[in-house]
Amino acid sequence: MDTTPGSTLSINDFKREIQRRSKIEYLCRNDPEFRKLELFLCRKDPIHLINNWGWTFDPRTSPYHYPFKLYPFQEEFIRWMHALYIAKKHGLVEKTRDMGVTWCAVGFSLWAWLFEGGFVSRWGSRVENEVDDGTVDSIFGKQRYIIQRLPPMLRPSGFEHKKFNHHLTLKNPKNENLILGESASPNFGRSGRSRVAFLDEFAHVQHSEAVWASVSETSDSIFCLSTPAGQGNQFYWLRHHSSISVSSLHWTKHPKKNREWYEAKKKDMQPWQVAQELDISYEKSKAGRIYKRFDRAYHVADEVIKYQPLYEQAVAWDFGHGAATAIIWLQIDPTGQIQVWNYYELTDQDIDFHLPISMGEYPDEIVLVDDSERKFIEKVVAKVPKNFTERHDYGDHAGTAKTANSKRSCKQALKNAGLEFKSTPKQTYDWRIRCTDNLMKLRQNAQGEWESRFQISPDCTKLIDCINNYVWDSENTDKDDIKPKIDWASHGVTALEFFAINRFPIKTSSTGVRVQDYR
């Protein structure tokens, strides 16, 4: 999230700007015609509103509170947003850190909240606290800051902070307009329609594919604002593989940032941080990504992959002993192409809950899960044929151990259901990664074009996100052999790795993964 808003004025410029604004406010109070004209200009143009009535805060400057005066590149950015908003189109903003992008977007959102009819905007970011933590550092804190400093003629009549200003909600009592906020989860935006949605630092949001799929269904316009975070996310794909309108705000557009400033910033940064925070470099801005071969252009199918009964079928498991259980449905066509056609992941359930789902049936305990989980399960089960048992199952060797809530092991549960389960005891990280990486290698077809023998259905958004965000544990880079980071992205990838080492094993050395390969 940006912290630098508009111009940081010199003391003399600050005084002159205060005098200019005081004169405008005096005329508005005492000249009805002037006030009418000023309200007309504010209603017509968000830039006029911000440049004449907006205020910003920056604890790094003195004074801390000062008039929001837009730089020319910021005015151009707001005009670009306004045009896309009117046309009901989406926009992507790639930026250097500290360009005032969030402040500008907040100013535009408040302009529409004040003057548009039937307006609802929705804000999302990596975590809820970044959207609203009660301070001006958060998105809603910036919006409250500006509203509190608007003159009475611009502030909505009847607006009382205790009544219309709540956590993650700002309501305009005059026109019923709303500004809403939430964390950017896979269900972001599903709770209601909005005229515009803002996804702040979208490249750094978990499950970005699922978030985009969710909000696209309910918002007329979407603006993704972010510094880059490698190539393994929806932000990168939108930027480089879609027709979305792009605004690129590099530090060279800022009149107070120069080469000297850039070199000073670089001194305290790692190379990947320079790429992410300053250079807008997608290639160098993600540290420690494991499956660097994975590329949506080659490994994600253009259309949804459907179950083909004549193909070899497989189901890969990562049994969630105290964590999420992941299931991948795969098929291999006669040419040897591996296709992922379904994906499922859920926490806090046992093998007896997951097993029926893998066979296209609903578990008895489905009545106990919440609405969002039930809808997800229904979507997964709808793709799987009933009594789906003609398949090979692969998974973790830990599946031979008994589960916490059952007297039988996961392997025994599959066997009792008439399923064949294969799991090699040899499951070292380096071998798993090399076998899986081998599946992702590209090959040339008869026409000399590069293609992949491994593809994922585009509706398996969570698995795509998992592969893109599966990284090395950077806290253990001082060890001889490093391991992948165990987090939300690891379960789906681990299931895929178990499929790779059991169905397509390759020879491997015992050298392990070297730290120098990571660095």
Side-chain angles (χ1 to χ4, degrees):
M1 186 187 301
D2 282 316
T3 54
T4 299
S7 305
T8 304
L9 303 173
S10 67
I11 294 298
N12 289 335
D13 288 340
F14 178 84
K15 291 179 179 179
R16 280 193 291 268
E17 180 62 16
I18 294 297
Q19 291 171 353
R20 186 188 73 84
R21 291 191 175 203
S22 297
K23 183 177 180 180
I24 294 174
E25 189 167 1
Y26 173 83
L27 290 171
C28 286
R29 286 198 309 267
N30 295 281
D31 186 337
E33 289 301 317
F34 187 92
R35 180 170 63 250
K36 183 178 179 181
L37 175 61
E38 181 63 21
L39 287 171
F40 170 79
L41 293 174
C42 288
R43 184 179 294 108
K44 183 180 179 180
D45 185 7
I47 294 173
H48 182 89
L49 173 71
I50 294 170
N51 276 336
N52 287 280
W53 302 101
W55 282 76
T56 58
F57 172 80
D58 190 340
R60 301 169 300 180
T61 65
S62 180
Y64 309 128
H65 310 275
Y66 53 93
F68 197 163
K69 289 291 290 182
L70 296 166
Y71 291 116
F73 80 89
Q74 293 172 329
E75 292 188 358
E76 180 183 349
F77 166 57
I78 291 176
R79 290 191 190 97
W80 171 81
M81 275 197 301
H82 194 184
L84 290 177
Y85 166 75
I86 292 171
K88 296 183 178 181
K89 294 183 178 180
H90 307 324
L92 180 145
V93 188
E94 57 179 13
K95 63 189 180 71
T96 298
R97 182 73 61 196
D98 249 11
M99 295 291 281
V101 170
T102 304
W103 275 98
C104 288
V106 161
F108 176 79
S109 176
L110 282 175
W111 166 81
W113 180 77
L114 288 169
F115 298 113
E116 290 284 278
F119 177 78
V120 177
S121 71
R122 195 175 302 273
W123 282 85
S125 193
R126 289 175 289 190
V127 293
E128 185 178 300
N129 275 353
E130 291 185 355
V131 183
D132 192 358
D133 67 355
T135 73
V136 74
D137 285 337
S138 67
I139 292 163
F140 270 71
K142 290 175 172 61
Q143 293 178 122
R144 295 186 185 102
Y145 177 91
I146 294 175
I147 291 172
Q148 288 168 354
R149 284 158 179 79
L150 290 174
M153 73 172 193
L154 286 172
R155 204 177 308 141
S157 58
F159 183 82
E160 300 175 17
H161 279 280
K162 290 184 178 181
K163 189 173 181 180
F164 299 104
N165 170 23
H166 302 290
H167 182 62
L168 298 172
T169 302
L170 285 170
K171 183 177 180 179
N172 186 328
K174 184 177 180 180
N175 54 24
E176 302 295 317
N177 286 346
L178 290 170
I179 298 177
L180 305 172
E182 58 185 287
S183 62
S185 70
N187 291 315
F188 177 77
R190 289 196 187 277
S191 58
R193 295 197 61 83
S194 58
R195 291 274 293 279
V196 61
F198 296 90
L199 295 168
D200 196 47
E201 292 300 345
F202 186 49
H204 307 268
V205 167
Q206 294 183 5
H207 323 301
S208 59
E209 292 234 359
V211 172
W212 181 260
S214 175
V215 72
S216 296
E217 297 177 2
T218 58
S219 300
D220 293 338
S221 288
I222 306 169
F223 292 102
C224 308
L225 327 170
S226 194
T227 54
Q231 299 175 328
N233 51 70
Q234 183 72 9
F235 187 79
Y236 169 82
W237 185 88
L238 288 168
R239 173 63 178 87
H240 295 279
H241 298 288
S242 79
S243 58
I244 195 170
S245 181
V246 175
S247 176
S248 186
L249 301 180
H250 191 263
W251 63 266
T252 51
K253 291 187 175 183
H254 199 296
K256 294 196 174 183
K257 300 185 192 302
N258 53 28
R259 177 60 60 173
E260 183 179 353
W261 170 88
Y262 176 76
E263 294 299 332
K265 286 287 185 181
K266 283 176 61 178
K267 289 180 180 179
D268 298 323
M269 291 183 172
Q270 296 289 335
W272 69 268
Q273 292 173 317
V274 174
Q276 174 178 290
E277 304 292 311
L278 304 178
D279 292 346
I280 314 183
S281 171
Y282 294 83
E283 293 78 11
K284 301 176 181 179
S285 59
K286 181 70 174 181
R289 186 171 174 228
I290 293 177
Y291 290 111
K292 296 179 180 179
R293 291 187 196 274
F294 187 78
D295 187 332
R296 184 183 179 114
Y298 293 104
H299 297 110
V300 178
D302 294 331
E303 298 180 356
V304 171
I305 298 174
K306 297 181 180 179
Y307 162 73
Q308 300 294 335
L310 298 182
Y311 291 0
E312 177 187 335
Q313 297 294 328
V315 173
W317 295 79
D318 177 36
F319 300 115
H321 299 293
T325 288
I327 307 175
I328 305 175
W329 289 259
L330 309 97
Q331 58 192 13
I332 306 170
D333 74 8
T335 68
Q337 186 183 60
I338 305 159
Q339 301 173 344
V340 174
W341 55 272
N342 206 2
Y343 180 73
Y344 162 88
E345 182 178 316
L346 201 67
T347 58
D348 300 326
Q349 299 295 342
D350 211 298
I351 184 63
D352 294 325
F353 184 94
H354 306 301
L355 183 55
I357 294 172
S358 78
M359 299 188 292
E361 305 286 349
Y362 291 106
D364 294 336
E365 298 86 352
I366 193 170
V367 296
L368 302 178
V369 301
D370 61 36
D371 287 343
S372 62
E373 290 178 340
R374 184 166 61 252
K375 289 178 181 178
F376 170 66
I377 293 169
E378 289 171 352
K379 184 178 179 181
V380 170
V381 171
K383 292 190 70 175
V384 184
K386 300 293 183 182
N387 194 30
F388 180 56
T389 57
E390 295 295 322
R391 72 203 208 194
H392 301 282
D393 285 68
Y394 306 95
D396 186 355
H397 196 61
T400 58
K402 291 182 180 180
T403 60
N405 300 319
S406 176
K407 295 181 179 180
R408 56 182 181 168
S409 67
C410 295
K411 181 178 180 180
Q412 187 62 49
L414 268 65
K415 183 178 180 181
N416 291 349
L419 301 171
E420 177 188 352
F421 178 75
K422 182 177 180 181
S423 177
T424 175
K426 186 178 182 180
Q427 296 182 348
T428 57
Y429 284 113
D430 63 318
W431 193 43
R432 281 163 41 182
I433 290 167
R434 288 173 184 177
C435 290
T436 308
D437 185 67
N438 188 57
L439 296 185
M440 298 180 186
K441 286 182 179 179
L442 301 182
R443 59 187 179 183
Q444 283 186 298
N445 58 24
Q447 291 75 38
E449 299 171 335
W450 289 101
E451 62 182 16
S452 172
R453 66 167 176 162
F454 172 76
Q455 282 202 319
I456 301 177
S457 182
D459 58 344
C460 297
T461 56
K462 176 66 181 293
L463 180 59
I464 296 168
D465 266 349
C466 289
I467 298 172
N468 280 327
N469 290 278
Y470 193 49
V471 297
W472 297 113
D473 187 349
S474 59
E475 295 182 0
N476 294 313
T477 55
D478 57 333
K479 298 181 180 179
D480 292 335
D481 289 344
I482 59 174
K483 296 180 180 180
K485 186 177 182 180
I486 305 302
D487 60 8
W488 67 270
S490 59
H491 307 294
V493 179
T494 301
L496 181 62
E497 290 172 345
F498 290 144
F499 167 78
I501 62 174
N502 285 287
R503 180 62 180 82
F504 294 96
I506 61 171
K507 292 182 179 179
T508 181
S509 65
S510 59
T511 56
V513 180
R514 300 175 301 168
V515 173
Q516 53 265 44
D517 293 337
Y518 165 68
R519 289 175 176 166

